[in-house]
Amino acid sequence: PILKKICRSAKLITLPSEYLKDLVKKEIGNYEIRVVLNGSRDFYQNGIEKENIIISAGRLLEGKGFQFLIKAFNELNKNNWKLYVIGDGPYKSKLIELAQGNANTVFTGWLDNTGDEYRLLLNKAKIFSLLSSRESQGVVFLEAMSAKCAILSSNITACRETVTEDIGFLVNGKNIEEIKEKLNEMMMGEDRLKE
């Protein structure tokens, strides 16, 4: 009710994705809405060599899908790759348990995305993945793309507006076999990653 009242009195509503625009029209009403995509500053840092690193970052919540990425990574058993999980939250202990002591899965805790450590990791990474069950736009994808990471995302909501075939793959974020298949394709396809 409060949101409807705010929308009724607004001359214009701006939202960061077509997904949110459709959701507001469906749930709140048909107001004048413009989509203005979120931006991100450029995280690219010249002179940092890419390494066999996958990064996933965000608040450690069940709905962010970290558990599916960790399970797929464990099953692929690629000893020459590392998975960095950046963030903190109530699901962290469960995720650490799922990692089963895999030395190639690193939990950094929360890192400020304006800090040097986050920027360095993002620039070293070849792949960025977030397998959320819901996203309104996904600024973290823009950050990763600016650092020249290939993207693996769940095929949901606004992720489809941000992640396209020329920069990564969209998968069923809960399907371990599909996640493994695309991760393996990315890990084995050095030329494709560079492209």
Side-chain angles (χ1 to χ4, degrees):
I2 293 171
L3 189 53
K4 284 183 181 181
K5 185 176 181 181
I6 292 168
C7 289
R8 274 196 302 270
S9 63
K11 290 183 181 180
L12 174 68
I13 300 167
T14 61
L15 297 167
S17 67
E18 291 292 332
Y19 161 72
L20 281 179
K21 176 182 174 182
D22 294 343
L23 186 63
V24 167
K25 283 187 171 194
K26 178 182 167 196
E27 299 293 330
I28 307 295
N30 196 9
Y31 298 96
E32 185 175 354
I33 300 172
R34 289 204 187 123
V35 173
V36 179
L37 300 176
N38 285 328
S40 169
R41 54 195 180 90
D42 188 356
F43 279 75
Y44 180 70
Q45 200 166 341
N46 198 17
I48 297 176
E49 193 168 326
K50 290 288 187 184
E51 297 178 17
N52 290 344
I53 293 174
I54 302 164
I55 285 184
S56 193
R59 181 106 168 102
L60 303 185
L61 302 168
E62 188 173 1
K64 290 289 187 177
F66 295 102
Q67 65 273 29
F68 304 110
L69 179 62
I70 289 169
K71 187 168 171 74
F73 182 74
N74 280 350
E75 289 183 16
L76 283 171
N77 197 23
K78 301 276 188 181
N79 290 327
N80 60 333
W81 280 81
K82 287 194 177 282
L83 169 61
Y84 282 82
V85 179
I86 299 173
D88 210 346
Y91 205 53
K92 185 176 184 176
S93 60
K94 177 69 174 167
L95 295 174
I96 290 170
E97 184 181 313
L98 281 171
Q100 301 170 347
N102 183 340
N104 289 334
T105 301
V106 179
F107 291 87
T108 67
W110 181 83
L111 296 178
D112 184 343
N113 73 348
T114 63
D116 291 339
E117 190 175 359
Y118 181 79
R119 180 182 289 261
L120 179 63
L121 278 174
L122 206 55
N123 277 275
K124 283 183 175 182
K126 291 180 180 176
I127 300 169
F128 180 89
S129 179
L130 188 61
L131 301 171
S132 293
S133 58
R134 178 182 312 183
E135 284 292 330
S136 61
Q137 198 256 342
V139 172
V140 71
F141 293 125
L142 302 177
E143 294 172 357
M145 285 187 272
S146 75
K148 303 188 183 320
C149 295
I151 307 294
L152 180 67
S153 169
S154 47
N155 187 10
I156 50 103
T157 61
C159 294
R160 289 187 292 263
E161 296 176 48
T162 308
V163 180
T164 55
E165 289 179 11
D166 59 329
I167 55 103
F169 293 111
L170 293 165
V171 295
N172 175 337
K174 295 180 179 178
N175 184 322
I176 302 299
E177 291 306 314
E178 189 177 355
I179 296 165
K180 280 176 20 185
E181 177 189 328
K182 291 303 181 188
L183 263 183
N184 193 51
E185 187 176 333
M186 294 168 94
M187 293 165 141
M188 301 302 286
E190 191 68 33
D191 291 339
R192 178 66 197 254
L193 284 179
K194 286 178 183 174
E195 181 188 327

